[in-house]
Amino acid sequence: MLRNLGLRVTVPRLKALEYVQTHPHADADAIYTSLALSLHGVTRQTVHGIVNDLTRVGVLRRVSLPESASAHYETRIGDNHHHIQCVSCGRIEDVDCVVGEAPCLTPEDTHGMRLVEASVTFRGVCAECEMRNMAHEALQPSIPLTQSHSHARTSPAPTSSTIQAKR
Amino acid sequence: MLRNLGLRVTVPRLKALEYVQTHPHADADAIYTSLALSLHGVTRQTVHGIVNDLTRVGVLRRVSLPESASAHYETRIGDNHHHIQCVSCGRIEDVDCVVGEAPCLTPEDTHGMRLVEASVTFRGVCAECEMRNMAHEALQPSIPLTQSHSHARTSPAPTSSTIQAKR
DNA sequence: GCCTTATTTTGAATTAGTCAAAATAAGGGA
DNA sequence: TCCCTTATTTTGACTAATTCAAAATAAGGC
Ligand SMILES: [Mn+2]
Ligand SMILES: [Mn+2]
Ligand SMILES: [Zn+2]
Ligand SMILES: [Zn+2]
């Protein structure tokens, strides 16, 4: 499978590929952690090399989301799909193209740019996090919204380049 | 303006704000470079503190794009707009909401998540880069697509979690 | 003008990832 | 099956963006 793409078949590559197949949207670190279990001396660099190679030849797709520090990888390629991510726990799920066909959105004004692609990411709160957050609210009576944020810069708030979605 | 938001009015804050107003989508480093010109001892930490504070109180909006390492900031807030970014030089322009109103997209299946927002980023190649690339192509005859990527991991290719856009 | 406390400065740490040279192993040909 | 070339992995160092924490400074209410 890798052979005819000009890549040598190695244990790290096979294990990494298998992991991503069973764990869609895994990031380099998750893959590394998994490989480290079975192989003794794998390093993060190895994993980065692997995902770069596999992405280049088209076996993997690199999924880079806004607000998300690390890149994620998946084997579901070829079909154009979007993603929805929980703003609380970071969990990612696939979302089929909203409009349908692959070319799905076009802006009014491209500012003279040749449009290459449109990236759509939905953000939300998953059921588990919703539940957990409710529990927390019960404990923390009412959040002091206009808190005069003392010394500590408390805001880990995920503000983003996003638009309100219809519900 | 900052005062009644509970923030003290300081020189770094005013300068940073002014810079972002005149340079939409500036990142922390650009702001820092600008401030460093007039103020002598400003540090990057100061800038990060400022953009965090201003983002928290809603004076700035943090724009985080896929494939983009650093966050960008703008004063155009409240209206829901998207962005188009040149994949070659990173230049960012505003794009009005494609669908119109603020709630603009909804996925078929939210996988049980409460939808919070939808982030849409267009990617393209700006006129200048298009021109520059053409010049390069003239020099580099035809790109050997199936290059047996020797030792060097050559791919700085910006693969992304995106969908092909209609042209 | 003083004092409290928010803000900035100083200094260090973290995370995701890249770069390059040396060691190792894949797999095509003998 | 063994060998050799060269791709891949390992080792080790480094960058960029950002955060954390303690000490120094300055805003602005009194
Ligand atoms: Mn996916
Ligand atoms: Mn904008
Ligand atoms: Zn969640
Ligand atoms: Zn450009």
Side-chain angles (χ1 to χ4, degrees):
Chain A
M1 201 266 248
L2 297 172
R3 193 99 22 120
N4 46 24
L5 286 167
L7 293 182
R8 291 185 180 172
V9 179
T10 68
V11 177
R13 276 182 179 159
L14 290 177
K15 294 239 178 187
L17 187 49
E18 185 193 344
Y19 184 77
V20 175
Q21 278 168 341
T22 53
H23 300 79
H25 312 123
D27 62 14
D29 197 60
I31 299 171
Y32 164 71
T33 303
S34 162
L35 294 216
L37 258 49
S38 32
L39 283 58
H40 83 292
V42 270
T43 63
R44 290 189 169 74
Q45 291 83 318
T46 300
V47 172
H48 282 291
I50 291 174
V51 293
N52 281 342
D53 290 341
L54 296 190
T55 299
R56 178 166 35 72
V57 301
V59 171
L60 290 185
R61 171 156 89 121
R62 192 193 316 269
V63 176
S64 144
L65 305 177
E67 303 281 315
S68 193
S70 57
H72 302 247
Y73 299 89
E74 64 184 349
T75 54
R76 180 176 165 186
I77 51 183
D79 77 323
N80 275 58
H81 69 272
H82 312 309
H83 294 95
I84 182 170
Q85 180 170 39
C86 174
V87 298
S88 181
C89 68
R91 176 183 154 193
I92 299 171
E93 300 289 348
D94 287 333
V95 165
D96 292 328
C97 188
V98 271
V99 179
E101 281 287 286
C104 87
L105 292 175
T106 328
E108 286 287 302
D109 180 4
T110 64
H111 291 269
M113 297 199 205
R114 174 172 56 81
L115 193 59
V116 174
E117 46 191 14
S119 162
V120 180
T121 306
F122 296 97
R123 320 196 74 234
V125 183
C126 76
E128 288 91 77
C129 287
E130 198 84 277
M131 210 150 283
R132 192 180 329 115
N133 294 344
M134 268 172 195
H136 283 325
E137 278 170 42
L139 297 175
Q140 300 182 356
S142 61
I143 300 111
L145 282 180
T146 324
Q147 81 278 48
S148 52
H149 71 320
S150 59
H151 174 64
R153 298 194 190 281
T154 35
S155 79
T159 311
S160 75
S161 72
T162 52
I163 51 177
Q164 288 305 314
K166 177 164 41 186
R167 329 208 28 212
Chain B
M1 202 266 245
L2 296 172
R3 192 99 22 122
N4 46 22
L5 286 166
L7 293 183
R8 291 187 181 175
V9 178
T10 70
V11 177
R13 276 180 180 163
L14 290 177
K15 295 239 177 188
L17 188 48
E18 184 193 344
Y19 183 79
V20 175
Q21 278 167 341
T22 53
H23 301 78
H25 312 124
D27 62 13
D29 197 60
I31 300 171
Y32 164 71
T33 304
S34 162
L35 293 216
L37 259 48
S38 33
L39 285 58
H40 84 292
V42 268
T43 63
R44 289 190 171 72
Q45 291 84 319
T46 300
V47 172
H48 281 290
I50 291 174
V51 293
N52 281 343
D53 289 341
L54 296 190
T55 298
R56 178 168 33 74
V57 300
V59 171
L60 290 185
R61 171 156 89 123
R62 191 192 318 268
V63 176
S64 142
L65 305 176
E67 303 283 314
S68 194
S70 58
H72 302 251
Y73 299 89
E74 64 184 350
T75 54
R76 180 177 166 184
I77 50 182
D79 76 324
N80 275 60
H81 69 271
H82 313 309
H83 294 94
I84 182 169
Q85 180 171 39
C86 175
V87 297
S88 181
C89 69
R91 177 184 153 192
I92 300 171
E93 300 289 348
D94 287 333
V95 165
D96 293 328
C97 188
V98 272
V99 180
E101 281 287 288
C104 88
L105 293 175
T106 327
E108 285 287 302
D109 181 3
T110 65
H111 291 269
M113 298 199 205
R114 176 171 55 83
L115 192 59
V116 173
E117 46 193 13
S119 161
V120 179
T121 305
F122 296 98
R123 320 195 74 233
V125 183
C126 74
E128 289 91 78
C129 287
E130 197 84 276
M131 210 151 285
R132 191 181 327 115
N133 294 344
M134 270 173 193
H136 284 325
E137 279 172 39
L139 298 175
Q140 300 183 357
S142 60
I143 301 112
L145 283 178
T146 324
Q147 81 280 48
S148 53
H149 74 318
S150 58
H151 174 66
R153 297 194 192 280
T154 36
S155 79
T159 311
S160 76
S161 72
T162 52
I163 51 176
Q164 288 307 312
K166 178 163 42 185
R167 308 219 43 212

